[in-house]
Amino acid sequence: RDNVQVAGSSTVLPYASIVAEAFGENFDFPTPVVESGGSSAGLKRFCEGVGANTVDVANASRAIREKEIKACADNGVTDIMEVRIGYDGIVFASDIDGATFEFTPADWFNALSPKVLVDGAIIDNPNQTWADVNPAFPAQQIAAFIPGTKHGTREVFEEKVLAVGCETTGALKAMEAAGMSEDDAEDACIKVRTDGLSTDIDGDYTETLARIDANKDGIGVFGLAFYENNTDKLQVATMSGVTPTTESISTGEYPVSRPLFFYVKKAHIGVIPGLKEYAEFFVSDEVAGPDGPLAEYGLVSDPELALTQEAIANEQTIASGS
Amino acid sequence: MTDASNAAPLREKKSLLVVDARTKKRNAAEARFKMYGIIAITLGLLFLAVLLTTIISRGTGAFTQTFISVPVELREDKLDKKGNRNLEDIKKVSTFGYNPLLGDALSAVIAEGGFTTEITKSKELRKLLSSSAVGQMRAYVIENTDQIGQTVTFDFFASSRVDGYIKGRVTREDLARDKNLSAEHLDLVDQMIEAGVVRKKFNPSFIFGADASESRPEQAGLGVSMLGSLFMMLVVLFLALPIGVAASIYLEEFAPKNRLTDLIEVNISNLAAVPSIVFGILGLAFFIQFCGGYLGIAAMKASAPLVGGLVLTLMTLPTIIISTRAALKAVPPSIRDAALGVGASKMQTVFHHVLPLAAPGILTGTIIGLAQALGETAPLLLIGMVGYIASNYPDSVLSGFTDPNSAMPAQIFEWAKRADPAFYERAWGGIIILLVFLMTMNIIAILLRRRFERRW
Amino acid sequence: MSGIVLLLIVLGLGALAFILARGKALSSVGGDQRALHSRPHYYGFSASILTIAPAVALMVVWGFGQSTLVQSSVAELIPASAIAEGQTVGLLMGDVQRIANGLDTAVAEGALSSDAAATLSTGADDIRGILGSVGVALGADVDPAILKAAQSYRAMQSSGATLRMIAVIGVALLGLTYGFMQTSATYRARNSVERSMRWTLIAAASVAVFTTLGIVFSVIFNTIEFFQLYPAKDFFLSLTWSPSFGGGSELGVFPLLWGTLYISLIALMVAVPTGLFSAIYLSEYASPKVRAFAKPLLEVLAGIPTIVYGLFALLTVGPLLVNVFGDGGILGVNWMQGGTAVMTAGLVMGIMLIPFVSSLSDDIINAVPQALRDGSLGLGATPSETIRQVVIPAALPGIVGAILLAASRAIGETMIVVLGAGAAARLSMNPFDAMTTVTAKIVSQLTGDADFASPEALVAFALAMTLFVITLGLNVIALGIVRKYREQYE
Amino acid sequence: MDDLRYMEMPVDQDTKISASNVQIYYGDNQAIKDVNVEIADKTVTAFIGPSGCGKSTFLRCLNRMNDTIDICRVEGTIKIDGDDIYDNAVDPVQLRAKVGMVFQKPNPFPKSIYDNVAYGPKVHGLAKSKADLDVIVEKALRRGAIWDEVKDRLHAPGTGLSGGQQQRLCIARAVATEPEVLLMDEPCSALDPIATAQVEELIDELRQSYSLVIVTHSMQQAARVSQRTAFFHLGNLVEFGDTSQIFTNPQDSRTESYITGRIG
Amino acid sequence: MDDLRYMEMPVDQDTKISASNVQIYYGDNQAIKDVNVEIADKTVTAFIGPSGCGKSTFLRCLNRMNDTIDICRVEGTIKIDGDDIYDNAVDPVQLRAKVGMVFQKPNPFPKSIYDNVAYGPKVHGLAKSKADLDVIVEKALRRGAIWDEVKDRLHAPGTGLSGGQQQRLCIARAVATEPEVLLMDEPCSALDPIATAQVEELIDELRQSYSLVIVTHSMQQAARVSQRTAFFHLGNLVEFGDTSQIFTNPQDSRTESYITGRIG
Ligand SMILES: Nc1ncnc2c1ncn2[C@@H]1O[C@H](COP(=O)(O)OP(=O)(O)OP(=O)(O)O)[C@@H](O)[C@H]1O
Ligand SMILES: Nc1ncnc2c1ncn2[C@@H]1O[C@H](COP(=O)(O)OP(=O)(O)OP(=O)(O)O)[C@@H](O)[C@H]1O
Ligand SMILES: [Mg+2]
Ligand SMILES: [Mg+2]
Ligand SMILES: O=P([O-])([O-])[O-]
């Protein structure tokens, strides 16, 4: 095998494909092959073992888990380099011709949680329209298209929006006061109502877009890059007063984002032609920097990119590095 | 025997020209029945028509593309500082190094054409063009080092937004919050169209080209993944058809009828119900990890059309076996008797008489099986054929089976997911190509089937 | 010598065997074919098979044997010091092979003489440069031990190839001789050839069996792993499907099975009548011209990628249904909340399945002997009575096969379900509610973001296994029904 | 052996079927050439002639069974009870209910023996109840001279019968619908003498009320059961007349040589 | 009509086929009960008996054509030229090449007339060249007494022939492979007297070198062409002997009543 083989997250795929294409254009190495199939499937194949018939790089929209590192090690994949390439902003957007929204996490909690706090009591969520949630909003039917539970984005949504909303509305306290254990209360916070007002999307953002197309009341969760490519159809909502842009996300002002990674098998470096070059090229300033093509496409570049570059140069692995 | 009085007519005599009530009723039922048939067919064809018009109306745009012709001065001081035309040195200049040249060239075009625009920054100007432009230039320079220092006119892809504007998909209002292009750009484009610098023309590289990354929808083509599909279909056709027919012949004509063969029969029908992605799991485990990894067969690797073809073969087999068996069953036994009776062996009987008579059913199974295999994406997901893969043409026919490649449906599926709406048009365009491919592939089978059809 | 050339030689010997044996058979009876047990070409084929089959088998086995042998002896040449931490010998073997192949290419392209290739050394030559010039890119500079290994790898491979050639041609010649010797007028050549054919047929039939075994093997271990993490009781008996990342998922298969059943049922309710009536019309009423034109057209429906159907469901059929059955719809019934519903997916899937039923049934109906139709028409039955009571029952096994195929496809479909029916697992009787299927969940859990060793990801395998067992049961029942109602004509 | 027993039956019945200038083509091949014939009611008419001369073809025309053969084309007029059966207003289904047919090759349905016979009556609604139907089936099977052989296996498939049994089953099937005209294409070809006699008895019985046309190769059979005989040769109707006259005093030399060349 | 012409042929030929204690079952139904019979070489043996008595069943056993019927089971031994044909070592294909068969229902292949006849010779390699094959086909069709009718349409489908023509085509097809034993199940049932005579001539001619078994319902035919006759009744072989003896002096009362009950 002469080419670098990459597998994993479909969220990282666009960035990886841009890099792979430019890598092929600028190096004599063959263009790397970038498969999609999900972070989990990619890491699973990554951890299958060391050798030419396994992948060299796994893209992931979340950090590798302890259990996975162990599973990797069981198969002889011990020296893993973790590379954080930047952040994926997660935005809320609705139809371009519809009403404009300025959300807070509390709004989302009150709209989607099966149980909310009303007048000091935890009751079944009575809210049917956005006006019920917040009088400032139009009386528009709640129709949320949120990522299905297979998506890492869902986890981010739960942690950074629902859980936060749960706390700020005081629902968390009220639940604990009502005798729930802390864990149970936290679990209850991130539950989503199942009466049809919220729809899980197992597909990708195009599907969410199509759903909003079919239901103009819909509000969907998108990646920043996807939204930026579809500003003709979508308008983005602010969160806690901040408009999501690459800048506001990289400064941490806009709260909802997640880091993106790829993982490299150190053992393959020096054996698979172009592997190290690919990794270095990926995080080079020209590519992943704030003016590079990745940022242009919608990646929130990592302020600590220099550290990452150095780590790659030193072939720092997870065990030795972190 | 029976007495004559028994033979009294049950029914009264009537003229044939007068249709009696019962016959009327039966004829009405007949007409209804026939009507159901017509309705069913019309419905089917109607659905087809709706789908096809949708596909065609959305997809034809993908076959044309906007180009901008730009004369670029290939400045020596940027491209070959040492001036000795050493390829190694020229290669050191990355595509990023070509950006300034492009910006200057565009400014020159504006100046020369006398266009008026507010846009002056090189980076902003370059937004008119596809990001493939620099790559195109660099490849040209490496091929033609002697051209360094000259001015060469390139036909660059316009960026997807500009193309969308020309095709009517993008309007000035749409660009209000778009950071990729602004309304001023469009004013400039209008002038450039006027001057003939910007043209929309047929884009063969959509049909023959390779996939491009997310940021370059204008450059993406289906050609390489079409080859991927072609190689996979070759594998499927040359394995699934013979194996399927052979298996059916064995089970239907030779196998003893017992519990074991019942089990095999049920098992084959059951295979048809196995979700296609599970075949992907099997393909990953058996072909890639076992054959490729454990046995060390180099051709069995991820992303190889050979492996994809094998997986699709396994997936198509049940369809072919089920239809072939049904067709074999439908051949009247008297024909087998006739052949056996003149001393043909069972094998000869089957191959000379039964098989030709069952051919229409077998071909139908093949047509449907191949259609299914050609359109399938899910199993390819697990064997590494979905993603950004079809970016290089294979080096040779033989390596076409093993070089990493994607497949048409996977490519279309990938495009449909991408963020830039320009890919959406390409996805539909890709479906047109896929359907043309399908029809071409099936035409022989359809003609053959017509030849074999007969009643007895 | 490459395998292809060797194969061609063996095939050539096979052809020779054919000519010789056929000639011998004919001459043994002085050219009078009647005196032979079998037709002359059977003698030819019989000898050919004896020549080719063992030789090719040997080639394949030798191929594996040699590569294993060479690999292991070359691996011993690589000193432990050359193996970096975390690397394995196997990984380095890849590099060795790449260098060896690169040297081969270099020799073939004239960049190196074969002597030079065997004596290159890392100190004196720029290996990476030389190989790079012939298009073989290496990941790093070459370690001397690796180069040594690569050179002895080449040497072993080439002597192995020579040995293989001798052995394979030898076996082929032996087969040829034996085949030629046993050729005589009384030798049962046809039986021997047919025996080989029969084995070939059996081998083909076993492919299906091995596929099943393969499927079972490739999902069973992960299924077991799943059941170690998640109680089987909950999986089979819980009525909720709600996976979540943090653990505490409820993974009851029942709502998914229900969705699968419901959607497939609706799809079949669309596809079976439409397909069957189309088939009947095409084979019994339509003129040959209409038939020649409509049948392939309907088959295009099977070839349209499912994503198109999915989008069609999402963008066209769903809103249309909402307009009729939804809130404020034409019927004013408010049964439907959103466009995604069992009904949406079922209808669209039904369209896709039409050709599965129509084309296959059409062929089978067409194969029913005309004499049966004549018999019925002659009694004064109308064509439709004839079709319903004589033709269809006679064609029943084939039609059931076609329907089963359509049902199978319905069960296995994902894209239409995801886009048309939604992703939410729900237990409801209302066909206008969103639901999802087992298959859709297999795909989504398999391609999701959950930790791959977690029950949320592993459940995909358990789902696959469960579906497999259930469809097996349904197929057994279907077979029983067909057996019971089968009418064999003549 | 018996001599031919010439019938002394009166044959001046009403005309049931009249065919004039009938031409039948299979593609370009003309199988029947300009045939004119009048078939009387309550009579048995025999078609005889060498194999391949067009008997079956002409017979199939009389109830439009040739409609099912794509390449077959009929010209001329055929009237039954004065109605042109090729008229557009005529429903072939009703026609075939009236003009039943026994085919040359037995073609039982792949159903049970019972269902084979019950099929016609069910289609025509001749039975009011299951018991009724049982009676009809039994009667038909008795008339087809096969009741005794199959009464214990009425629910076994009709295709599992011997050749002669299948032929009789088809006869039973045809008479079960009580047609006014019964066309029988070599109904006794696979039957032994005793069964033949029984079928001939049936024919004789049916003649009391219906019109029958039978194709036969047995001159003796024609002589025994028919009142009128038509001799076909190479697609031509060579001679048509009273059976006695045809057999004793043929007008055409071809008829004579066919009759006298007889052996069977 | 002719009287029965009892043959005065010597019938002490070598035994070609000998069946002993043959029992044949269809499922649980016994169709042939303990039949013992010896069929001589260069002789025509006729099987007679009422419809459904098991003639075809027994005939199909002699070249193992019953193998194709799933539910059919044979017990006892049948030897041809001393070899047990149900022995495992026997190749049924070779057997059938040696023992040809004409089926009761004509079953031409849905191929051209030429191909129908040429198939057997091709499979057995009887022709060295196309010209050779043409000769064989013509000869077979002439023997089948159908050459004149089809010589201009050799490439028309065999299924487009008339019933009698199909029957003769099947006879031609069977003789084209030159089997040593020819089993014919009612070969003349759909034939007119002249064609019947031609086929009988063929049978007579074949008898010079081969052994023939024919099933027939025509007592006259049995008497005319056969030297030995077997009478079956309800699955039993009631009587077997020289044709002349069977017809003049039947030993069994059932034979007698069948013979004397004859009509056709
Ligand atoms: N395929 C079959 N399945 C079951 N029973 C059968 C089958 N074929 C024949 N039989 C039965 O076996 C018996 C003998 O049948 P066979 O065909 O041998 O009669 P036959 O003497 O040839 O009569 P015919 O003169 O009518 O042809 C009959 O009772 C028949 O119903
Ligand atoms: N389906 C057909 N297609 C073409 N030609 C046919 C078809 N059926 C019959 N023929 C031809 O028409 C002529 C008359 O055939 P028909 O079946 O009427 O003969 P027949 O008198 O019934 O003969 P038989 O006594 O042999 O049954 C024959 O030459 C025959 O070959
Ligand atoms: Mg006829
Ligand atoms: Mg019989
Ligand atoms: O494909 P994802 O793992 O990023 O959802």
Side-chain angles (χ1 to χ4, degrees), chain A residues 8-12 37-40 61 150-152 258, chain C residues 447-449:
Chain A
S9 166
S10 47
T11 314
V12 180
S39 308
S40 170
S61 51
K150 67 169 244 189
H151 281 292
R258 59 170 169 167
Chain C
T447 59
D449 282 352

Side-chain angles (χ1 to χ4, degrees), chain B residues 26 30 250 262 265 267 269-270 272 282 323 330 334 345 347-348 364 381 413 431 434 449 453 455-456, chain C residues 42 194 202 212 283 285 291 299 305 308 360 363 366 369-370 380 384-385 447 471-472 475 483 489-490:
Chain B
R26 288 169 59 209
E30 168 74 22
Y250 178 71
D262 280 359
E265 177 170 354
N267 169 53
S269 322
N270 192 38
L282 170 69
S323 48
S334 67
S345 69
M347 204 59 86
Q348 288 166 330
T364 299
L381 202 61
F413 175 68
I431 291 165
L434 179 89
R449 181 173 65 186
E453 267 172 1
R455 275 211 179 147
W456 51 78
Chain C
Y42 280 114
E194 287 185 349
I202 291 177
T212 311
S283 57
Y285 292 108
R291 181 153 184 267
E299 281 161 357
V308 178
L360 287 176
D363 288 322
N366 208 39
Q370 181 63 31
S384 63
E385 286 159 353
T447 59
T471 50
L472 191 68
N475 271 301
R483 284 277 157 81
Y489 37 78
E490 292 194 357

Side-chain angles (χ1 to χ4, degrees), chain A residues 14-69:
Chain A
Y15 308 113
S17 76
I18 291 172
V19 175
E21 185 174 58
F23 184 77
E25 265 173 4
N26 284 307
F27 289 81
D28 285 337
F29 300 109
T31 311
V33 165
V34 191
E35 303 169 20
S36 78
S39 308
S40 170
L43 283 168
K44 181 164 188 189
R45 285 185 51 200
F46 183 81
C47 291
E48 219 97 64
V50 167
N53 62 318
T54 60
V55 296
D56 311 311
V57 177
N59 294 331
S61 51
R62 58 169 170 85
I64 192 169
R65 306 249 154 89
E66 273 308 315
K67 246 167 120 187
E68 291 170 328
I69 294 178

Side-chain angles (χ1 to χ4, degrees), chain D residues 51-52 54-57 104 185-186 215 217, chain E residues 162-164 190:
Chain D
S51 167
K55 306 178 296 292
S56 300
T57 303
Q104 186 166 8
D185 201 346
E186 305 195 24
V215 172
H217 281 122
Chain E
S162 83

Side-chain angles (χ1 to χ4, degrees), chain B residues 333 336-338 340-341 346, chain E residues 22-27 29 31-32 54-78 80 84-87 90 92-93 95-96 99-101 103 183 185:
Chain B
R336 293 183 181 82
D337 281 0
L340 293 174
K346 221 163 166 182
Chain E
V22 174
Q23 327 272 350
I24 309 179
Y25 303 84
Y26 289 110
N29 228 331
I32 287 291
K55 305 179 295 293
S56 300
T57 302
F58 188 68
L59 202 67
R60 285 173 74 103
C61 257
L62 299 182
N63 70 344
R64 291 185 57 178
M65 277 309 296
N66 58 330
D67 285 10
T68 64
I69 302 171
D70 285 338
I71 55 167
C72 183
R73 212 173 75 245
V74 179
E75 286 170 12
T77 43
I78 298 176
I80 295 191
D84 182 351
I85 61 168
Y86 283 87
D87 191 291
V90 168
V93 175
L95 170 68
R96 292 185 199 126
V99 185
M101 178 141 200
F103 295 85
L183 311 175
D185 202 344

Side-chain angles (χ1 to χ4, degrees), chain E:
Chain E
M1 272 212 43
D2 311 67
D3 257 354
L4 292 176
R5 299 173 300 165
Y6 295 125
M7 295 280 167
E8 303 299 304
M9 293 288 305
V11 283
D12 46 15
Q13 304 277 354
D14 296 346
T15 301
K16 185 77 182 172
I17 308 177
S18 83
S20 44
N21 306 326
V22 174
Q23 327 272 350
I24 309 179
Y25 303 84
Y26 289 110
D28 296 334
N29 228 331
Q30 187 161 8
I32 287 291
K33 293 167 195 150
D34 203 32
V35 167
N36 293 283
V37 76
E38 305 238 316
I39 290 166
D41 200 7
K42 305 205 166 127
T43 315
V44 178
T45 307
F47 286 180
I48 61 172
S51 167
C53 66
K55 305 179 295 293
S56 300
T57 302
F58 188 68
L59 202 67
R60 285 173 74 103
C61 257
L62 299 182
N63 70 344
R64 291 185 57 178
M65 277 309 296
N66 58 330
D67 285 10
T68 64
I69 302 171
D70 285 338
I71 55 167
C72 183
R73 212 173 75 245
V74 179
E75 286 170 12
T77 43
I78 298 176
K79 289 188 177 167
I80 295 191
D81 289 338
D83 303 327
D84 182 351
I85 61 168
Y86 283 87
D87 191 291
N88 278 336
V90 168
D91 181 3
V93 175
Q94 230 176 328
L95 170 68
R96 292 185 199 126
K98 186 164 164 172
V99 185
M101 178 141 200
V102 176
F103 295 85
Q104 186 166 8
K105 265 194 206 182
N107 52 356
F109 298 124
K111 293 176 181 279
S112 74
I113 293 168
Y114 183 94
D115 287 344
N116 260 283
V117 180
Y119 181 69
K122 268 194 210 156
V123 160
H124 296 297
L126 303 188
K128 284 184 199 61
S129 64
K130 176 79 178 70
D132 229 15
L133 194 60
D134 288 348
V135 172
I136 292 178
V137 169
E138 177 172 344
K139 182 172 161 211
L141 287 170
R142 279 191 193 285
R143 287 177 134 187
I146 189 180
W147 172 252
D148 291 330
E149 280 158 77
V150 299
K151 63 171 179 284
D152 301 325
R153 51 192 271 203
L154 283 177
H155 295 284
T159 41
L161 292 174
S162 83
Q165 287 168 337
Q166 288 189 10
Q167 196 164 42
R168 283 173 288 157
L169 176 62
C170 292
I171 294 173
R173 188 173 68 186
V175 296
T177 57
E178 311 250 350
E180 289 174 32
V181 179
L182 189 57
L183 311 175
M184 299 169 113
D185 202 344
E186 305 195 23
C188 301
S189 64
L191 299 186
D192 59 282
I194 300 164
T196 303
Q198 287 169 322
V199 172
E200 287 179 1
E201 231 169 89
L202 169 70
I203 293 174
D204 220 46
E205 174 200 325
L206 293 177
R207 179 170 67 84
Q208 306 310 316
S209 13
Y210 307 129
S211 164
L212 289 103
V213 184
I214 67 169
V215 172
T216 179
H217 282 122
S218 160
M219 240 56 73
Q220 292 84 339
Q221 186 172 52
R224 274 197 306 273
V225 301
S226 76
Q227 289 80 51
R228 316 208 71 187
T229 296
F231 171 63
F232 286 81
H233 186 70
L234 296 178
N236 297 301
L237 175 63
V238 175
E239 198 166 348
F240 177 53
D242 285 0
T243 302
S244 51
Q245 173 252 311
I246 296 267
F247 281 99
T248 49
N249 185 19
Q251 304 295 305
D252 195 286
S253 60
R254 285 169 294 178
T255 317
E256 183 164 12
S257 61
Y258 183 72
I259 307 265
T260 51
R262 73 189 182 278
I263 309 171

Side-chain angles (χ1 to χ4, degrees), chain B residues 282, chain C residues 208-218:
Chain B
L282 170 69
Chain C
V209 179
F210 285 122
T211 307
T212 311
L213 289 183
I215 285 176
V216 170
F217 269 113
S218 53

